[in-house]
Amino acid sequence: MVPSGLLDALARVPDPRDRRGRRFALATLLAVGVCAMTCADHNSLVAIAGWARRCEQEVLARLGCPYDPFAGCYRVPGERTLRDAFARVDPAALTAAGFARLAKLRPPPLSPSAPDETRERGRRRTHREMTRARSKRANTTLPGALGRH
């Protein structure tokens, strides 16, 4: 399935293709590639196109594929379409869109008791200091008692 916001993030990548003859939005083609690479571990354009052909209609709809009313189904991008689009896309813009999407997925900032243990470290430090203070007091008050054995 397509993660929410993926198409919005990929829509920020400028489309270098000519407006005439576009059947698929660039964000759709990029989302097909992202989903095929992450979900099915496909890393070639032939494998990505094959993954897209095997997708269910609801997945193609969520990816933003155009609906063909004559065929009664969503159109699937072919390998050549994917190859042309991926070859022309600006890698820097695609990377920036990907990092913007990942930044939104980042968990909220750590709380003081989170895995970095800042609060826990403070508690341990206080405990050590109190233990040292107790042992100093015990050593100053008990030496006579210890020597009588």
Side-chain angles (χ1 to χ4, degrees):
M1 287 307 214
V2 181
S4 63
L6 178 63
L7 285 174
D8 295 334
L10 293 174
R12 294 186 187 124
V13 178
D15 194 345
R17 303 175 297 160
D18 188 14
R19 290 183 189 266
R20 294 173 293 174
R22 286 188 202 167
R23 292 191 178 113
F24 296 91
L26 181 63
T28 296
L29 298 175
L30 295 174
V32 166
V34 167
C35 290
M37 284 188 248
T38 56
C39 298
D41 199 26
H42 294 307
N43 57 3
S44 73
L45 291 170
V46 174
I48 292 170
W51 177 85
R53 278 192 307 274
R54 291 186 301 274
C55 277
E56 297 177 6
Q57 288 294 302
E58 64 183 44
V59 173
L60 294 173
R62 290 194 66 193
L63 285 169
C65 292
Y67 185 76
D68 184 358
F70 296 113
C73 60
Y74 289 93
R75 298 187 72 159
V76 178
E79 178 207 349
R80 179 64 188 242
T81 303
L82 293 167
R83 185 176 305 279
D84 289 345
F86 289 177
R88 293 182 185 173
V89 72
D90 180 22
L94 181 58
T95 302
F99 279 122
R101 174 70 183 135
L102 290 175
K104 289 180 182 177
L105 296 176
R106 183 177 36 184
L110 298 174
S111 65
S113 60
D116 72 347
E117 299 180 4
T118 52
R119 183 180 293 169
E120 186 64 29
R121 283 188 208 143
R123 288 182 187 152
R124 281 190 246 147
R125 185 179 309 120
T126 304
H127 178 71
R128 280 193 306 265
E129 291 169 358
M130 290 174 58
T131 306
R132 286 182 193 142
R134 280 189 213 132
S135 65
K136 283 183 183 179
R137 277 187 265 140
N139 288 338
T140 57
T141 57
L142 296 177
L146 291 175
R148 286 189 229 165
H149 283 58

